[in-house]
Amino acid sequence: MAKSSKPAFFSSRREMLKAAAGCSLMTNTSLLSTFLTLQATKAVASSNTINDYKAIVCLFLFGGNDSYNMMTPYDGSGSGDASDPNNPNISGEYGDYYRVRGGYDDGILNPGGLALERSTLTPIADPVSGRNFGLHPGMSADADPNANPDPALRGVAGLYNDGKLGFVANVGSLIERTTKTTYQQRVNLPLGLFSHADLQRHWMSGVPQSRNQLTGWGGRIADCLQSTNSEPTVSMNISIGGVNLFQAGANVTPYAIGSNGATVVSNYFPDYDATGNYQNKIFSRATDNVLGQTYNDLLEASFAATHRNSIDAAIAFNDGISGVNINTTFADEGLSNRFKTIAKVIGAAGGPTPTLAQKRQVFFISEGGWDNHGDVLPAQQNKLPVVSRALTSFYAAMEELGLQDSVVTFTASDFARTLGSNGQGSDHAWGGNQIVMGGQVAGGKVFGEYPLSLAAGNDLDLGRGRLIPKISVDEFAADLALWFGLSNSDLDLVLPNIRTFYDGTGSPLGIMA
Protein backbone atom coordinates (compact mmCIF):
# COMPACT_ATOMS: atom_id res chain seq x y z
CA MET A 1 0.00 0.00 0.00
CA ALA A 2 1.34 3.45 -0.89
CA LYS A 3 2.11 5.68 2.02
CA SER A 4 -0.30 8.38 0.88
CA SER A 5 -3.20 5.92 0.90
CA LYS A 6 -2.64 4.59 4.41
CA PRO A 7 -5.80 5.14 6.51
CA ALA A 8 -5.51 7.47 9.46
CA PHE A 9 -6.34 4.75 11.98
CA PHE A 10 -3.18 2.76 11.17
CA SER A 11 -0.73 3.92 13.81
CA SER A 12 2.11 2.22 11.99
CA ARG A 13 2.95 0.15 8.94
CA ARG A 14 3.76 -2.70 11.33
CA GLU A 15 0.24 -2.55 12.79
CA MET A 16 -1.28 -2.70 9.31
CA LEU A 17 0.81 -5.72 8.31
CA LYS A 18 0.05 -7.44 11.60
CA ALA A 19 -3.66 -7.06 10.98
CA ALA A 20 -3.35 -8.25 7.39
CA ALA A 21 -1.48 -11.35 8.49
CA GLY A 22 -4.04 -12.01 11.18
CA CYS A 23 -7.02 -12.03 8.87
CA SER A 24 -5.50 -13.55 5.78
CA LEU A 25 -2.86 -16.18 6.47
CA MET A 26 -5.17 -18.65 8.11
CA THR A 27 -6.53 -20.96 5.46
CA ASN A 28 -3.25 -21.78 3.76
CA THR A 29 -4.61 -20.01 0.66
CA SER A 30 -3.17 -17.04 -1.24
CA LEU A 31 -5.56 -14.10 -1.58
CA LEU A 32 -5.40 -10.96 -3.69
CA SER A 33 -3.42 -8.16 -2.09
CA THR A 34 -6.35 -5.75 -2.32
CA PHE A 35 -8.48 -8.21 -0.39
CA LEU A 36 -5.76 -8.50 2.25
CA THR A 37 -5.68 -4.75 2.62
CA LEU A 38 -9.46 -4.69 3.03
CA GLN A 39 -9.31 -7.31 5.79
CA ALA A 40 -6.51 -5.40 7.52
CA THR A 41 -8.53 -2.21 7.38
CA LYS A 42 -11.55 -3.87 8.97
CA ALA A 43 -9.52 -5.60 11.66
CA VAL A 44 -7.75 -2.45 12.81
CA ALA A 45 -10.90 -0.36 12.54
CA SER A 46 -12.63 -2.80 14.89
CA SER A 47 -10.09 -1.97 17.59
CA ASN A 48 -11.49 1.55 17.71
CA THR A 49 -15.12 0.48 17.96
CA ILE A 50 -15.09 -2.52 20.31
CA ASN A 51 -14.79 -1.49 23.93
CA ASP A 52 -16.67 -4.26 25.70
CA TYR A 53 -15.21 -7.47 27.11
CA LYS A 54 -16.12 -10.89 25.72
CA ALA A 55 -14.73 -14.38 26.21
CA ILE A 56 -15.32 -17.78 24.64
CA VAL A 57 -14.54 -20.86 26.74
CA CYS A 58 -14.17 -24.27 25.09
CA LEU A 59 -14.44 -27.39 27.26
CA PHE A 60 -13.13 -30.28 25.17
CA LEU A 61 -14.16 -33.75 26.34
CA PHE A 62 -11.41 -35.94 24.93
CA GLY A 63 -12.30 -39.48 23.90
CA GLY A 64 -15.84 -39.08 22.60
CA ASN A 65 -18.68 -38.41 25.04
CA ASP A 66 -21.64 -40.82 24.75
CA SER A 67 -23.87 -37.78 24.44
CA TYR A 68 -27.11 -39.60 23.60
CA ASN A 69 -27.07 -40.69 27.22
CA MET A 70 -26.26 -37.14 28.30
CA MET A 71 -29.51 -36.01 26.65
CA THR A 72 -32.01 -38.75 25.76
CA PRO A 73 -35.50 -38.85 24.25
CA TYR A 74 -38.16 -38.69 26.96
CA ASP A 75 -41.55 -38.72 25.26
CA GLY A 76 -43.31 -42.08 25.50
CA SER A 77 -43.65 -44.74 28.14
CA GLY A 78 -40.95 -46.33 30.26
CA SER A 79 -43.05 -48.85 32.14
CA GLY A 80 -42.76 -52.61 32.08
CA ASP A 81 -40.19 -55.34 32.55
CA ALA A 82 -36.76 -53.68 32.50
CA SER A 83 -34.98 -56.94 31.74
CA ASP A 84 -36.63 -57.31 28.31
CA PRO A 85 -34.90 -55.13 25.67
CA ASN A 86 -37.92 -55.58 23.37
CA ASN A 87 -40.64 -54.84 25.90
CA PRO A 88 -43.58 -53.38 23.89
CA ASN A 89 -44.83 -51.46 26.93
CA ILE A 90 -41.80 -49.20 26.62
CA SER A 91 -42.91 -47.01 23.73
CA GLY A 92 -42.64 -43.76 21.83
CA GLU A 93 -39.39 -41.86 21.26
CA TYR A 94 -38.12 -43.15 24.56
CA GLY A 95 -38.99 -46.70 23.50
CA ASP A 96 -36.95 -46.31 20.29
CA TYR A 97 -34.01 -45.13 22.38
CA TYR A 98 -34.47 -47.95 24.88
CA ARG A 99 -34.42 -50.62 22.20
CA VAL A 100 -31.52 -49.30 20.10
CA ARG A 101 -29.44 -49.07 23.26
CA GLY A 102 -30.18 -52.69 24.09
CA GLY A 103 -32.43 -52.11 27.07
CA TYR A 104 -31.27 -51.74 30.66
CA ASP A 105 -28.20 -53.40 32.05
CA ASP A 106 -29.64 -55.22 35.03
CA GLY A 107 -26.39 -57.06 35.62
CA ILE A 108 -28.09 -60.46 35.36
CA LEU A 109 -30.50 -61.11 32.48
CA ASN A 110 -29.40 -58.29 30.18
CA PRO A 111 -25.76 -57.36 30.76
CA GLY A 112 -24.44 -54.78 28.31
CA GLY A 113 -27.63 -52.76 27.90
CA LEU A 114 -26.89 -49.03 27.66
CA ALA A 115 -30.31 -47.41 28.18
CA LEU A 116 -30.95 -45.24 31.21
CA GLU A 117 -34.16 -45.87 33.09
CA ARG A 118 -36.71 -43.19 32.26
CA SER A 119 -37.57 -42.70 35.93
CA THR A 120 -33.99 -41.62 36.66
CA LEU A 121 -33.89 -38.89 33.99
CA THR A 122 -34.49 -35.19 34.62
CA PRO A 123 -37.08 -34.07 32.04
CA ILE A 124 -36.58 -30.81 30.16
CA ALA A 125 -38.94 -29.23 27.63
CA ASP A 126 -37.87 -27.86 24.26
CA PRO A 127 -40.28 -25.06 23.28
CA VAL A 128 -39.05 -25.05 19.66
CA SER A 129 -39.87 -28.65 18.77
CA GLY A 130 -42.50 -29.20 21.45
CA ARG A 131 -40.63 -32.33 22.51
CA ASN A 132 -39.32 -33.41 25.88
CA PHE A 133 -35.86 -34.77 26.59
CA GLY A 134 -34.28 -36.44 29.57
CA LEU A 135 -30.98 -35.32 31.08
CA HIS A 136 -28.59 -37.78 32.66
CA PRO A 137 -29.28 -37.93 36.41
CA GLY A 138 -25.76 -36.67 37.06
CA MET A 139 -26.66 -33.33 35.48
CA SER A 140 -29.68 -32.53 37.60
CA ALA A 141 -29.64 -29.81 40.23
CA ASP A 142 -27.63 -30.72 43.31
CA ALA A 143 -30.15 -29.05 45.60
CA ASP A 144 -33.60 -27.51 45.59
CA PRO A 145 -33.00 -23.79 44.83
CA ASN A 146 -35.95 -22.91 47.08
CA ALA A 147 -34.28 -24.67 49.98
CA ASN A 148 -30.74 -23.61 49.14
CA PRO A 149 -30.48 -20.58 46.84
CA ASP A 150 -26.76 -21.06 46.13
CA PRO A 151 -26.66 -20.61 42.31
CA ALA A 152 -23.67 -22.93 42.08
CA LEU A 153 -26.01 -25.81 42.96
CA ARG A 154 -28.43 -25.40 40.07
CA GLY A 155 -26.86 -28.12 37.94
CA VAL A 156 -26.99 -28.20 34.16
CA ALA A 157 -30.72 -29.00 34.33
CA GLY A 158 -31.33 -25.94 36.49
CA LEU A 159 -29.35 -23.67 34.15
CA TYR A 160 -31.36 -25.00 31.21
CA ASN A 161 -34.65 -24.29 32.96
CA ASP A 162 -33.35 -20.82 33.91
CA GLY A 163 -32.70 -20.08 30.23
CA LYS A 164 -28.93 -19.79 30.70
CA LEU A 165 -27.94 -22.97 28.88
CA GLY A 166 -28.99 -24.88 25.79
CA PHE A 167 -28.04 -27.98 23.82
CA VAL A 168 -26.84 -28.18 20.23
CA ALA A 169 -28.21 -31.44 18.87
CA ASN A 170 -26.53 -33.88 16.50
CA VAL A 171 -23.57 -31.67 15.61
CA GLY A 172 -20.32 -32.87 14.08
CA SER A 173 -17.60 -32.22 11.53
CA LEU A 174 -18.91 -31.91 7.96
CA ILE A 175 -17.58 -30.65 4.65
CA GLU A 176 -21.09 -30.47 3.20
CA ARG A 177 -24.55 -31.81 4.04
CA THR A 178 -24.33 -35.59 4.04
CA THR A 179 -26.92 -38.31 3.53
CA LYS A 180 -26.71 -42.09 3.61
CA THR A 181 -26.37 -42.05 -0.17
CA THR A 182 -23.52 -39.54 -0.31
CA TYR A 183 -21.84 -41.35 2.57
CA GLN A 184 -21.97 -44.63 0.70
CA GLN A 185 -20.59 -42.91 -2.39
CA ARG A 186 -17.81 -41.38 -0.24
CA VAL A 187 -18.64 -37.85 -1.41
CA ASN A 188 -16.78 -35.09 0.45
CA LEU A 189 -16.49 -36.87 3.78
CA PRO A 190 -14.21 -35.73 6.61
CA LEU A 191 -10.92 -37.56 6.55
CA GLY A 192 -10.52 -40.45 8.96
CA LEU A 193 -14.13 -40.69 10.10
CA PHE A 194 -14.55 -42.36 13.51
CA SER A 195 -10.85 -41.80 14.32
CA HIS A 196 -9.99 -39.98 17.55
CA ALA A 197 -7.02 -38.11 16.11
CA ASP A 198 -8.84 -36.99 12.97
CA LEU A 199 -12.14 -35.99 14.51
CA GLN A 200 -10.40 -34.08 17.32
CA ARG A 201 -8.35 -32.26 14.70
CA HIS A 202 -11.42 -31.52 12.58
CA TRP A 203 -13.42 -30.13 15.52
CA MET A 204 -10.53 -27.82 16.36
CA SER A 205 -9.44 -26.82 12.86
CA GLY A 206 -12.82 -26.47 11.15
CA VAL A 207 -11.18 -27.92 8.02
CA PRO A 208 -12.16 -31.61 7.98
CA GLN A 209 -10.92 -32.13 4.42
CA SER A 210 -7.30 -31.72 5.54
CA ARG A 211 -4.85 -33.20 8.00
CA ASN A 212 -2.33 -30.45 7.27
CA GLN A 213 -4.16 -27.48 8.75
CA LEU A 214 -1.85 -25.72 11.20
CA THR A 215 -4.39 -23.33 12.74
CA GLY A 216 -7.71 -23.73 14.53
CA TRP A 217 -10.88 -21.70 14.27
CA GLY A 218 -10.36 -20.27 17.75
CA GLY A 219 -6.89 -19.14 16.73
CA ARG A 220 -8.09 -17.65 13.46
CA ILE A 221 -10.80 -15.69 15.28
CA ALA A 222 -8.06 -14.37 17.57
CA ASP A 223 -5.91 -13.44 14.56
CA CYS A 224 -8.72 -11.25 13.26
CA LEU A 225 -9.58 -9.64 16.58
CA GLN A 226 -6.27 -9.47 18.44
CA SER A 227 -5.97 -5.77 17.63
CA THR A 228 -8.76 -5.16 20.17
CA ASN A 229 -6.33 -6.07 22.97
CA SER A 230 -3.59 -3.82 24.30
CA GLU A 231 -1.85 -6.41 26.51
CA PRO A 232 1.40 -7.18 24.62
CA THR A 233 2.83 -9.81 26.97
CA VAL A 234 0.15 -12.46 27.47
CA SER A 235 -1.64 -14.13 24.56
CA MET A 236 -5.31 -13.47 23.88
CA ASN A 237 -5.76 -17.26 23.82
CA ILE A 238 -5.20 -18.96 27.17
CA SER A 239 -5.19 -22.72 27.63
CA ILE A 240 -5.50 -24.67 30.84
CA GLY A 241 -5.52 -27.87 28.80
CA GLY A 242 -2.09 -27.68 27.20
CA VAL A 243 -1.08 -26.58 23.71
CA ASN A 244 -3.88 -27.32 21.25
CA LEU A 245 -4.80 -26.80 17.62
CA PHE A 246 -8.09 -25.03 18.38
CA GLN A 247 -6.33 -21.90 19.72
CA ALA A 248 -3.42 -21.83 17.28
CA GLY A 249 -3.48 -18.94 14.81
CA ALA A 250 -1.10 -17.47 12.28
CA ASN A 251 -0.03 -14.80 14.78
CA VAL A 252 -1.67 -15.97 17.99
CA THR A 253 -0.52 -19.02 19.95
CA PRO A 254 -2.15 -20.29 23.14
CA TYR A 255 -0.59 -19.32 26.45
CA ALA A 256 -0.62 -22.46 28.58
CA ILE A 257 -1.20 -22.16 32.31
CA GLY A 258 -1.96 -24.53 35.18
CA SER A 259 -4.65 -24.56 37.84
CA ASN A 260 -2.47 -22.25 39.96
CA GLY A 261 -1.71 -19.81 37.16
CA ALA A 262 1.37 -19.34 34.99
CA THR A 263 4.67 -21.04 35.78
CA VAL A 264 7.67 -18.77 36.29
CA VAL A 265 11.21 -20.18 35.98
CA SER A 266 11.92 -22.25 39.08
CA ASN A 267 13.56 -20.25 41.90
CA TYR A 268 13.33 -16.99 39.96
CA PHE A 269 12.47 -14.03 42.21
CA PRO A 270 11.89 -10.75 40.37
CA ASP A 271 11.87 -8.74 43.64
CA TYR A 272 15.34 -9.87 44.75
CA ASP A 273 16.45 -6.34 45.70
CA ALA A 274 13.77 -6.22 48.36
CA THR A 275 14.09 -9.70 49.80
CA GLY A 276 17.56 -9.56 51.33
CA ASN A 277 17.94 -13.23 50.51
CA TYR A 278 21.48 -13.73 49.23
CA GLN A 279 20.75 -16.94 47.31
CA ASN A 280 17.78 -15.39 45.55
CA LYS A 281 19.82 -12.30 44.70
CA ILE A 282 22.53 -14.35 43.06
CA PHE A 283 20.16 -16.45 40.97
CA SER A 284 17.94 -13.58 39.88
CA ARG A 285 20.76 -11.20 39.03
CA ALA A 286 22.50 -13.91 37.05
CA THR A 287 19.32 -14.81 35.21
CA ASP A 288 18.49 -11.20 34.33
CA ASN A 289 22.11 -10.60 33.33
CA VAL A 290 22.13 -13.55 30.95
CA LEU A 291 18.72 -12.83 29.51
CA GLY A 292 19.42 -9.13 29.11
CA GLN A 293 22.58 -9.49 27.05
CA THR A 294 22.73 -8.84 23.34
CA TYR A 295 24.21 -11.83 21.54
CA ASN A 296 25.97 -12.02 18.22
CA ASP A 297 24.76 -15.55 17.73
CA LEU A 298 21.17 -15.43 16.48
CA LEU A 299 20.16 -18.71 18.11
CA GLU A 300 21.46 -17.64 21.52
CA ALA A 301 19.80 -14.27 21.16
CA SER A 302 16.47 -15.83 20.22
CA PHE A 303 16.64 -18.29 23.08
CA ALA A 304 17.46 -15.55 25.58
CA ALA A 305 14.65 -13.32 24.30
CA THR A 306 12.13 -16.15 24.44
CA HIS A 307 13.21 -17.08 27.96
CA ARG A 308 13.02 -13.47 29.07
CA ASN A 309 9.60 -12.98 27.48
CA SER A 310 8.22 -16.15 29.07
CA ILE A 311 9.33 -14.97 32.50
CA ASP A 312 7.83 -11.52 31.93
CA ALA A 313 4.57 -13.04 30.70
CA ALA A 314 4.26 -15.35 33.71
CA ILE A 315 4.96 -12.52 36.15
CA ALA A 316 2.51 -10.17 34.42
CA PHE A 317 -0.15 -12.88 34.28
CA ASN A 318 0.15 -13.94 37.91
CA ASP A 319 0.25 -10.32 39.08
CA GLY A 320 -2.85 -9.63 37.01
CA ILE A 321 -5.00 -12.37 38.54
CA SER A 322 -3.63 -12.20 42.08
CA GLY A 323 -6.07 -9.54 43.18
CA VAL A 324 -9.22 -11.26 41.87
CA ASN A 325 -11.26 -12.92 44.60
CA ILE A 326 -13.97 -15.44 43.74
CA ASN A 327 -16.41 -16.24 46.55
CA THR A 328 -18.50 -18.72 44.58
CA THR A 329 -18.14 -22.29 45.83
CA PHE A 330 -16.25 -24.62 43.50
CA ALA A 331 -15.96 -28.35 44.15
CA ASP A 332 -12.49 -29.55 45.12
CA GLU A 333 -12.12 -31.38 41.81
CA GLY A 334 -9.64 -30.94 39.00
CA LEU A 335 -12.12 -29.62 36.45
CA SER A 336 -13.77 -27.21 38.88
CA ASN A 337 -10.37 -25.92 39.98
CA ARG A 338 -9.43 -25.24 36.37
CA PHE A 339 -12.67 -23.39 35.78
CA LYS A 340 -12.07 -21.33 38.93
CA THR A 341 -8.68 -20.25 37.58
CA ILE A 342 -10.30 -19.22 34.29
CA ALA A 343 -12.90 -17.28 36.26
CA LYS A 344 -10.10 -15.33 37.96
CA VAL A 345 -8.46 -14.57 34.60
CA ILE A 346 -11.78 -13.32 33.23
CA GLY A 347 -12.23 -11.18 36.34
CA ALA A 348 -8.77 -9.69 35.82
CA ALA A 349 -9.49 -8.81 32.19
CA GLY A 350 -13.19 -7.96 32.18
CA GLY A 351 -13.82 -6.76 35.71
CA PRO A 352 -14.48 -3.15 36.76
CA THR A 353 -10.75 -2.53 37.40
CA PRO A 354 -9.01 -4.73 34.82
CA THR A 355 -5.40 -5.69 35.47
CA LEU A 356 -5.02 -7.60 32.18
CA ALA A 357 -5.65 -5.20 29.30
CA GLN A 358 -7.64 -7.56 27.08
CA LYS A 359 -11.09 -7.04 25.59
CA ARG A 360 -11.30 -10.42 23.85
CA GLN A 361 -10.12 -13.79 25.19
CA VAL A 362 -10.45 -17.40 24.04
CA PHE A 363 -10.00 -20.15 26.64
CA PHE A 364 -9.46 -23.88 26.29
CA ILE A 365 -10.07 -26.44 29.05
CA SER A 366 -9.81 -30.18 28.54
CA GLU A 367 -11.18 -33.18 30.38
CA GLY A 368 -10.22 -36.69 29.34
CA GLY A 369 -11.68 -40.09 30.11
CA TRP A 370 -14.59 -40.32 27.65
CA ASP A 371 -13.36 -43.21 25.46
CA ASN A 372 -15.54 -45.82 27.11
CA HIS A 373 -15.59 -48.99 25.03
CA GLY A 374 -16.41 -50.72 28.30
CA ASP A 375 -18.21 -49.60 31.45
CA VAL A 376 -19.67 -46.52 29.79
CA LEU A 377 -22.53 -46.29 32.29
CA PRO A 378 -20.38 -46.13 35.46
CA ALA A 379 -17.90 -43.85 33.69
CA GLN A 380 -20.61 -41.31 32.85
CA GLN A 381 -22.12 -41.69 36.29
CA ASN A 382 -18.78 -40.50 37.66
CA LYS A 383 -17.85 -37.87 35.07
CA LEU A 384 -21.05 -36.05 34.09
CA PRO A 385 -21.68 -34.78 37.63
CA VAL A 386 -18.11 -33.40 37.61
CA VAL A 387 -18.90 -31.50 34.41
CA SER A 388 -22.23 -30.30 35.78
CA ARG A 389 -20.68 -29.01 39.00
CA ALA A 390 -17.88 -27.24 37.16
CA LEU A 391 -20.20 -25.54 34.67
CA THR A 392 -22.74 -24.39 37.23
CA SER A 393 -20.09 -23.02 39.59
CA PHE A 394 -18.39 -21.26 36.71
CA TYR A 395 -21.65 -19.64 35.61
CA ALA A 396 -22.33 -18.57 39.19
CA ALA A 397 -18.83 -17.03 39.34
CA MET A 398 -19.58 -15.07 36.17
CA GLU A 399 -22.75 -13.78 37.85
CA GLU A 400 -20.69 -12.83 40.91
CA LEU A 401 -18.35 -10.83 38.64
CA GLY A 402 -21.27 -9.35 36.70
CA LEU A 403 -19.86 -10.86 33.50
CA GLN A 404 -22.40 -13.60 32.76
CA ASP A 405 -23.50 -11.77 29.59
CA SER A 406 -19.89 -11.42 28.43
CA VAL A 407 -18.87 -15.09 28.47
CA VAL A 408 -20.03 -18.07 26.41
CA THR A 409 -18.95 -21.59 27.35
CA PHE A 410 -19.41 -24.58 25.07
CA THR A 411 -18.48 -28.24 25.03
CA ALA A 412 -16.88 -30.18 22.20
CA SER A 413 -15.88 -33.81 21.85
CA ASP A 414 -14.34 -36.05 19.21
CA PHE A 415 -17.70 -37.62 18.34
CA ALA A 416 -20.67 -39.30 19.96
CA ARG A 417 -20.65 -43.06 20.40
CA THR A 418 -22.56 -45.92 18.86
CA LEU A 419 -26.11 -46.23 20.13
CA GLY A 420 -25.78 -50.00 19.83
CA SER A 421 -23.84 -51.74 22.60
CA ASN A 422 -20.68 -53.72 21.96
CA GLY A 423 -21.64 -55.86 24.93
CA GLN A 424 -19.77 -53.76 27.46
CA GLY A 425 -19.86 -50.16 26.27
CA SER A 426 -20.07 -48.11 23.07
CA ASP A 427 -17.71 -47.43 20.19
CA HIS A 428 -16.72 -44.52 17.95
CA ALA A 429 -19.52 -42.78 16.06
CA TRP A 430 -20.12 -39.29 14.58
CA GLY A 431 -22.80 -36.68 15.31
CA GLY A 432 -23.52 -35.91 18.96
CA ASN A 433 -24.97 -33.37 21.39
CA GLN A 434 -23.12 -30.44 22.96
CA ILE A 435 -23.76 -27.83 25.64
CA VAL A 436 -23.64 -24.04 25.18
CA MET A 437 -23.96 -21.74 28.21
CA GLY A 438 -23.99 -18.00 28.88
CA GLY A 439 -26.13 -15.06 29.90
CA GLN A 440 -26.69 -14.07 26.27
CA VAL A 441 -27.38 -17.63 25.11
CA ALA A 442 -31.02 -18.05 24.11
CA GLY A 443 -31.16 -20.96 26.51
CA GLY A 444 -33.88 -23.29 27.61
CA LYS A 445 -34.08 -24.81 24.15
CA VAL A 446 -32.43 -27.32 21.83
CA PHE A 447 -30.65 -25.88 18.80
CA GLY A 448 -30.35 -27.89 15.62
CA GLU A 449 -32.24 -31.10 14.89
CA TYR A 450 -32.38 -33.87 17.44
CA PRO A 451 -33.32 -37.02 15.47
CA LEU A 452 -37.06 -37.71 15.51
CA SER A 453 -36.30 -41.34 16.22
CA LEU A 454 -33.16 -43.14 17.35
CA ALA A 455 -34.54 -46.47 16.16
CA ALA A 456 -32.08 -48.69 14.31
CA GLY A 457 -32.08 -48.03 10.58
CA ASN A 458 -33.36 -44.44 10.80
CA ASP A 459 -32.50 -41.97 8.02
CA LEU A 460 -29.27 -40.92 9.74
CA ASP A 461 -28.12 -44.33 10.95
CA LEU A 462 -24.98 -45.63 9.23
CA GLY A 463 -25.15 -48.84 11.23
CA ARG A 464 -24.90 -49.62 14.95
CA GLY A 465 -26.32 -46.18 15.70
CA ARG A 466 -23.59 -44.10 14.10
CA LEU A 467 -25.57 -40.96 13.25
CA ILE A 468 -24.83 -38.53 10.41
CA PRO A 469 -24.66 -35.00 11.88
CA LYS A 470 -27.41 -32.62 10.78
CA ILE A 471 -25.54 -29.58 12.13
CA SER A 472 -21.94 -28.76 11.22
CA VAL A 473 -19.26 -27.55 13.58
CA ASP A 474 -19.06 -24.54 11.22
CA GLU A 475 -22.61 -23.39 12.05
CA PHE A 476 -21.99 -23.79 15.77
CA ALA A 477 -18.69 -21.91 15.54
CA ALA A 478 -20.13 -19.16 13.33
CA ASP A 479 -22.82 -18.30 15.87
CA LEU A 480 -20.16 -17.89 18.55
CA ALA A 481 -17.78 -15.98 16.27
CA LEU A 482 -20.41 -13.45 15.18
CA TRP A 483 -21.36 -12.79 18.80
CA PHE A 484 -17.68 -12.43 19.63
CA GLY A 485 -17.31 -9.56 17.17
CA LEU A 486 -16.20 -11.19 13.93
CA SER A 487 -17.77 -9.69 10.83
CA ASN A 488 -19.92 -11.84 8.56
CA SER A 489 -17.52 -11.19 5.69
CA ASP A 490 -14.60 -12.59 7.72
CA LEU A 491 -16.37 -15.85 8.50
CA ASP A 492 -15.03 -17.35 5.26
CA LEU A 493 -11.47 -16.75 6.45
CA VAL A 494 -12.08 -18.37 9.82
CA LEU A 495 -14.41 -21.17 8.60
CA PRO A 496 -13.57 -22.06 4.99
CA ASN A 497 -16.63 -24.31 4.54
CA ILE A 498 -19.18 -22.02 6.18
CA ARG A 499 -20.99 -20.91 3.00
CA THR A 500 -21.96 -24.51 2.35
CA PHE A 501 -24.13 -24.29 5.46
CA TYR A 502 -24.88 -20.59 6.00
CA ASP A 503 -25.57 -17.84 3.46
CA GLY A 504 -25.00 -14.96 5.86
CA THR A 505 -28.67 -14.28 6.52
CA GLY A 506 -29.75 -14.06 10.13
CA SER A 507 -28.07 -16.30 12.68
CA PRO A 508 -26.77 -19.76 11.72
CA LEU A 509 -28.48 -21.55 14.62
CA GLY A 510 -30.00 -18.73 16.67
CA ILE A 511 -27.90 -19.61 19.71
CA MET A 512 -27.33 -16.06 20.89
CA ALA A 513 -30.25 -13.99 22.14
Side-chain angles (χ1 to χ4, degrees), residues 247-477:
Q247 292 181 305
N251 294 315
V252 176
T253 55
Y255 183 64
I257 64 172
S259 294
N260 296 319
T263 300
V264 186
V265 173
S266 179
N267 295 323
Y268 178 83
F269 299 91
D271 57 345
Y272 58 83
D273 284 333
T275 65
N277 186 307
Y278 183 75
Q279 181 180 359
N280 294 349
K281 282 184 181 181
I282 293 293
F283 185 85
S284 299
R285 281 176 176 162
T287 302
D288 281 333
N289 220 16
V290 170
L291 298 180
Q293 291 183 38
T294 301
Y295 292 92
N296 293 323
D297 183 271
L298 181 59
L299 180 60
E300 290 183 2
S302 297
F303 176 78
T306 301
H307 207 183
R308 173 74 264 171
N309 290 341
S310 69
I311 292 173
D312 290 344
I315 293 170
F317 182 87
N318 290 335
D319 285 348
I321 68 173
S322 63
V324 179
N325 295 313
I326 302 291
N327 295 317
T328 299
T329 300
F330 281 79
D332 187 15
E333 298 169 331
L335 185 60
S336 284
N337 287 333
R338 294 194 291 277
F339 266 104
K340 185 174 183 178
T341 296
I342 295 303
K344 294 182 70 174
V345 179
I346 288 173
T353 55
T355 50
L356 293 176
Q358 302 201 345
K359 294 295 185 182
R360 291 291 184 272
Q361 291 183 300
V362 178
F363 296 94
F364 181 85
I365 304 177
S366 65
E367 179 76 357
W370 302 90
D371 188 18
N372 306 124
H373 294 276
D375 297 325
V376 63
L377 295 180
Q380 284 201 311
Q381 185 177 347
N382 290 331
K383 295 196 70 65
L384 285 175
V386 171
V387 171
S388 184
R389 285 191 287 268
L391 290 178
T392 51
S393 291
F394 181 68
Y395 187 83
M398 294 303 97
E399 288 183 317
E400 178 187 339
L401 294 169
L403 294 171
Q404 68 272 20
D405 290 343
S406 302
V407 181
V408 172
T409 304
F410 72 98
T411 64
S413 194
D414 319 14
F415 36 60
R417 307 190 74 83
T418 55
L419 298 175
S421 173
N422 62 20
Q424 296 179 323
S426 53
D427 301 319
H428 304 177
W430 196 358
N433 307 309
Q434 303 298 340
I435 295 170
V436 59
M437 175 183 79
Q440 289 198 344
V441 169
K445 64 181 68 170
V446 177
F447 306 100
E449 300 180 41
Y450 197 101
L452 292 174
S453 171
L454 296 184
N458 68 70
D459 289 344
L460 301 174
D461 184 11
L462 298 175
R464 294 195 58 212
R466 286 188 169 107
L467 300 183
I468 300 170
K470 291 287 286 185
I471 300 298
S472 71
V473 171
D474 306 72
E475 294 167 277
F476 192 2

Side-chain angles (χ1 to χ4, degrees), residues 91-115:
S91 62
E93 287 188 40
Y94 177 81
D96 292 342
Y97 155 82
Y98 166 83
R99 274 178 281 280
V100 76
R101 302 241 70 178
Y104 307 132
D105 181 357
D106 63 358
I108 303 172
L109 298 175
N110 187 41
L114 300 180

